[in-house]
Amino acid sequence: MATQEKQNKMNVTIIGTGNVARSLSTRLVSGGNSVTLLTRNVEPAGELVSSLQQVAQAGATARVAPLGGAIEDDVVVLAVPYSAVEEIVAEYREHLGGKIVVDPTNPLNATYDGLVTPADSSAAEEIARLLPESTRVVKAFNTAFASTVAAGAVEGRPIDILIAGDDAEAKATVGKLVEDGGLRPIDAGPLTRARQLEGLAFLHIQLQFTRGTNFGSMLKLIP
Ligand SMILES: NC(=O)c1ccc[n+]([C@@H]2O[C@H](COP(=O)([O-])OP(=O)(O)OC[C@H]3O[C@@H](n4cnc5c(N)ncnc54)[C@H](OP(=O)(O)O)[C@@H]3O)[C@@H](O)[C@H]2O)c1
């Protein structure tokens, strides 16, 4: 691979090894970007690392490390339940200054019939309040179901990834990662738009039950 091309690739830290971590990692490594997965249970994640190595392109790598260790990457994804974020951010707060923190969470309540965040806020904005001012929070990946992100497309059309944030450079960085992975980034505006993105994802979840699409549909803007 040409050195120039390699220099444009990144290493992304993902906290979690669940559905979103797996699907996002698949897109990242298949787009030539590397991942470090931080987890409470390193051993079972070995199988995930092996499967990622099989789809990695252009020298991308995947590795797993214990949660609690240092975060070296500039982009960190919180692929955990919203209820776990406060504890994780408390542990890592000082490490996250100046970094891009990507929030894919949907703050659903226990009965899946509402959101736990105040109507005049969003998970992303609440997370931004917990972090240093220099942290650039970007809402992304919450409106697409993990299985569709892993596949990259539904019925042959690439998944749209709606991205909200207040820092244009941070959104562009996330957009490039999305594009590298074969998905379509769409700038949805400032971080306050996360309120609508979380509402949209909530609706998309409810539609699975009325339409019986088993978390296999996608939200697509045409054109
Ligand atoms: N699934 C989807 O299609 C989808 C789509 C868009 C957005 N989201 C959102 O993305 C987030 C992750 O969803 P998911 O489906 O990937 O969930 P998941 O499959 O249940 O995975 C959650 C991950 O978070 C880790 N975790 C949970 N509590 C933790 C804690 N207190 N400290 C450290 N790690 C903790 C789990 O680790 P252990 O394995 O050690 O328990 C697991 O690796 C959620 O906020 C969800 O709303 C999901």
Side-chain angles (χ1 to χ4, degrees):
M1 162 184 221
T3 313
Q4 181 63 44
E5 196 186 333
K6 205 163 191 171
Q7 280 170 353
N8 290 333
K9 299 299 181 183
M10 300 193 72
N11 198 334
V12 175
T13 290
I14 299 179
I15 301 181
T17 53
N19 298 307
V20 168
R22 282 167 184 265
S23 63
L24 194 47
S25 301
T26 302
R27 286 295 112 223
L28 288 168
V29 300
S30 65
N33 293 290
S34 297
V35 293
T36 298
L37 297 147
L38 298 185
T39 175
R40 301 182 287 193
N41 300 307
V42 172
E43 212 173 299
E47 162 270 321
L48 169 59
V49 168
S50 307
S51 66
L52 290 172
Q53 278 159 352
Q54 284 170 23
V55 294
Q57 296 292 320
T61 59
R63 67 183 194 100
V64 64
L67 189 68
I71 294 182
E72 280 151 26
D73 301 323
D74 292 334
V75 179
V76 181
V77 183
L78 301 172
V80 296
Y82 178 62
S83 57
V85 166
E86 193 169 346
E87 181 191 336
I88 292 168
V89 166
E91 185 174 0
Y92 276 111
R93 190 176 186 280
E94 298 319 316
H95 297 255
L96 295 173
K99 294 189 188 291
I100 297 171
V101 168
V102 180
D103 166 33
T105 68
N106 284 312
L108 292 167
N109 66 17
T111 48
Y112 270 53
D113 59 358
L115 300 178
V116 299
T117 39
D120 61 350
S121 187
S122 61
E125 291 164 278
E126 297 298 311
I127 290 168
R129 279 188 200 108
L130 297 173
L131 287 163
E133 245 178 69
S134 60
T135 306
R136 294 167 292 163
V137 175
V138 173
K139 186 86 200 179
F141 301 107
N142 73 305
T143 55
F145 295 129
S147 62
T148 67
V149 171
V154 173
E155 295 183 353
R157 293 172 182 220
I159 311 288
D160 287 349
I161 300 297
L162 298 163
I163 301 172
D166 293 334
D167 186 284
E169 193 187 70
K171 281 196 287 191
T173 299
V174 175
K176 164 91 169 44
L177 292 169
V178 166
E179 225 161 40
D180 285 350
L183 313 178
R184 184 171 75 149
I186 295 183
D187 187 344
L191 198 64
T192 49
R193 285 291 83 73
R195 299 172 194 181
Q196 287 74 39
L197 296 188
E198 291 168 18
L200 187 60
F202 173 67
L203 176 65
H204 195 199
I205 290 166
Q206 301 310 313
L207 290 173
Q208 300 315 296
F209 306 116
T210 57
R211 288 178 51 79
T213 32
N214 196 25
F215 298 88
S217 62
M218 70 168 171
L219 299 170
K220 182 84 187 152
L221 276 182
I222 298 175

